[in-house]
Amino acid sequence: MQNKLSKAYEEMGIRKEVLALGDKILSELSERFQNIDRIAEICQMKVLSAMQKNKVCEQCFESSTGYGYNDLGRETLEAVYASVFHAEDALVRAQITCGTHALTIALAANTRPGDEILSPVGKPYDTLEGIIGIQPSPGSLSEYGITYRQVDLLSDGGFDYDGIRAAINDRTKLIEIQRSKGYQTRPTLSVAQIGELIAFIKGIKPDVICMVDNCYGEFVEEIEPTDVGADLCVGSLIKNPGGGLAPIGGYIVGRKEYVEQCAYRLTTPGLGKEVGASLGVNRAFFQGLFLAPTVVAGALKGAIFAARLYETLGYAVVPGGTEERHDIIQSVILGNAESVVAFCRGIQAAAPVDSYVVPEPWAMPGYHSDVIMAAGAFYQGSSIELSADGPVEPPYAVYFQGGLTWYHAKLGILMSLEYLLRENPLALPCNDEETVL
Ligand SMILES: *Cc1c(COP(=O)(O)O)cnc(C)c1O
């Protein structure tokens, strides 16, 4: 059996020494993988229970067009999301074009001129800089007289409670808490930490809206930020909760009054949730959510496997291979441009789609340096699918995430190492002996 597997990998371009190193790493990960599976199992029950409780039925998979009045599937799906997140209401729509759009809706819908938004966890995700107006941008919230304040995390990654207390004022309307580190070096927050932060903030100003950018965090833990006091939780359907099947979309869940404001902002005042044709995506949204706990488990296994593999080879990785996980992003600091390129080409070569394409670094809008991206995905930009990108600048880190199945994630990571070895022959610590490849 082992020989057959080894042969299957060899046919894919993974030498047996590389596979052997991978398998040695894996043999030390069984306990962690069991824990991931246990969380996925809990989340699966949560999703199933929400689907049963809200009576998902075959008619839910039908489609609406035009105004989209009385779309049973859309309404049931929103009830299912609300149940999964233990929230009062949800807005889950194909008309929400991406995670950034969902966040924009939530921020803009729940603030008015003169209000202030506070981020107590440092700089938000890059695309939010333009929305808030940290970077001047046409149509930003700042142009509407909504101001922004930020309190950075302390150098040990902890919350600056004194700073936060000092920053909250009469105008503070909404707190934006980003769960995932995104492409920064700060630690990702656990749901428990988010709960502590929210409790502290509500102790100072009980009526402030606590909103969590939940991107990349869904189903990584047994609970979600709405279980620990978040008033709103926002994310993208081409990340975790879409399970790889949602072709587009975003979600907003939380308190009814705030979700309603979001609906008025997404469509129009007065119409709110009543309109918005589902255009045939209902089945994919339901089925993707149903698969999401398993898909997230696979992506997490891939992230931990990569961390341990590259750590063993002497590279710095964030988070560390033995650290607890709160999102699915893994970064590996490769130290030079050639290695970043090689890594991404390996990920691309392992993809089910566009595997023959050779990614090149290019000047992307919004980045200071050239960026290389690997994405052989079924849906454009879908980062729950195995994908990697790296700005070609010091410290030459690559960020990667996803994998619709664990086996694909494993192949992709081994392939990244194969490509890296072509650039830098390394001594591989396999089978007690050192083998230079
Ligand atoms: C991906 C991401 C976003 C933006 O989502 P898009 O779908 O790329 O617009 C926002 N915040 C965080 C933390 C993210 O990871």
Side-chain angles (χ1 to χ4, degrees):
M1 213 43 215
Q2 194 55 36
N3 282 344
K4 280 191 187 155
L5 189 58
S6 177
K7 194 152 168 276
Y9 274 101
E10 249 182 304
E11 279 169 11
M12 295 300 290
I14 306 295
R15 285 168 290 179
K16 60 180 185 305
E17 294 83 355
V18 172
L19 182 66
L21 172 63
D23 286 343
K24 185 176 156 210
I25 303 281
L26 279 178
S27 68
E28 294 152 14
L29 289 174
S30 53
E31 204 176 306
R32 292 205 71 194
F33 278 25
Q34 268 170 30
N35 198 39
I36 290 171
D37 287 334
R38 193 186 59 85
I39 292 172
E41 204 169 339
I42 292 171
C43 292
Q44 184 73 82
M45 295 308 126
K46 194 158 68 166
V47 169
L48 264 171
S49 153
M51 289 188 171
Q52 293 177 358
K53 190 176 125 201
N54 292 289
K55 297 197 161 61
V56 174
C57 62
E58 204 180 335
Q59 284 74 32
C60 289
F61 307 143
E62 280 167 20
S63 183
S64 63
T65 57
Y67 293 123
Y69 290 133
N70 304 315
D71 187 316
L72 176 71
R74 185 192 69 212
E75 285 166 13
T76 306
L77 180 77
E78 289 180 339
V80 167
Y81 262 76
S83 296
V84 166
F85 283 86
H86 305 123
E88 290 172 5
D89 203 356
L91 189 66
V92 187
R93 299 290 170 116
Q95 284 81 10
I96 302 178
T97 55
C98 58
T100 303
H101 187 197
L103 290 159
T104 304
I105 293 166
L107 290 171
N110 288 290
T111 50
R112 295 291 179 272
D115 288 343
E116 188 159 272
I117 295 169
L118 169 68
S119 167
V121 297
K123 188 185 94 60
Y125 197 74
D126 279 7
T127 55
L128 285 188
E129 293 190 22
I131 288 142
I132 294 168
I134 303 169
Q135 295 289 344
S137 178
S140 71
L141 294 174
S142 134
E143 289 190 347
Y144 289 87
I146 294 151
T147 58
Y148 170 77
R149 224 177 250 257
Q150 173 178 315
V151 177
D152 289 336
L153 295 172
L154 298 172
S155 52
D156 65 358
F159 301 123
D160 177 2
Y161 285 116
D162 292 336
I164 295 168
R165 191 196 316 274
I168 293 174
N169 60 58
D170 289 350
R171 297 198 300 111
T172 311
K173 179 70 184 293
L174 186 148
I175 311 285
E176 137 89 27
I177 303 168
Q178 185 180 309
R179 176 171 173 184
S180 168
K181 66 181 177 306
Y183 300 123
Q184 286 174 264
T185 48
R186 71 152 167 99
T188 286
L189 305 174
S190 69
V191 174
Q193 283 174 300
I194 291 172
E196 284 162 28
L197 179 60
I198 292 174
F200 175 78
I201 289 165
K202 296 265 180 184
I204 298 167
K205 191 165 188 182
D207 59 347
V208 77
I209 303 168
C210 289
M211 179 191 110
V212 175
D213 173 353
N214 207 27
C215 283
Y216 286 131
E218 299 90 352
F219 303 128
V220 172
E221 296 186 46
E222 293 155 28
I223 54 171
E224 298 293 339
T226 36
D227 291 311
V228 296
D231 299 305
L232 281 173
C233 212
V234 181
S236 163
L237 297 195
I238 57 168
K239 294 181 180 170
N240 305 15
L245 294 187
I248 191 172
Y251 77 89
I252 299 169
V253 296
R255 288 193 182 279
K256 193 170 183 56
E257 57 184 307
Y258 306 138
V259 173
E260 229 157 48
Q261 290 290 343
C262 293
Y264 293 141
R265 171 76 198 204
L266 172 68
T267 67
T268 80
L271 294 180
K273 290 182 81 178
E274 302 300 319
V275 293
S278 56
L279 298 173
V281 297
N282 284 341
R283 187 194 310 269
F285 282 7
F286 278 108
Q287 204 173 358
L289 178 67
F290 174 68
L291 292 179
T294 317
V295 171
V296 169
L300 274 172
K301 288 176 184 174
I304 292 171
F305 174 57
R308 287 298 301 142
L309 180 72
Y310 279 99
E311 212 167 50
T312 304
L313 295 173
Y315 292 97
V317 297
V318 183
T322 51
E323 263 176 68
E324 235 188 297
R325 296 277 148 164
H326 307 294
D327 67 15
I328 63 168
I329 302 177
Q330 180 64 47
S331 78
V332 182
I333 290 112
L334 293 165
N336 60 63
E338 297 71 39
S339 298
V340 169
V341 170
F343 185 102
C344 290
R345 288 183 176 165
I347 296 285
Q348 184 80 34
V353 181
D354 289 339
S355 61
Y356 56 88
V357 168
V358 180
E360 294 282 351
W362 57 296
M364 266 187 59
Y367 287 84
H368 316 293
S369 65
D370 284 0
V371 181
I372 183 163
M373 295 199 163
F378 293 98
Y379 289 115
Q380 185 192 99
S382 167
S383 49
I384 187 60
E385 300 188 48
L386 190 65
S387 47
D389 49 72
V392 185
E393 65 181 357
Y396 300 101
V398 286
Y399 299 87
F400 86 91
Q401 61 274 316
L404 294 186
T405 72
W406 149 239
Y407 306 119
H408 176 223
K410 179 179 172 185
L411 175 70
I413 292 151
L414 293 176
M415 196 69 87
S416 72
L417 179 56
E418 275 288 353
Y419 274 62
L420 203 65
L421 291 170
R422 292 184 194 172
E423 289 298 325
N424 307 313
L426 280 177
L428 295 193
C430 355
N431 307 329
D432 309 323
E433 294 158 39
E434 299 239 310
T435 313
V436 177
L437 283 181

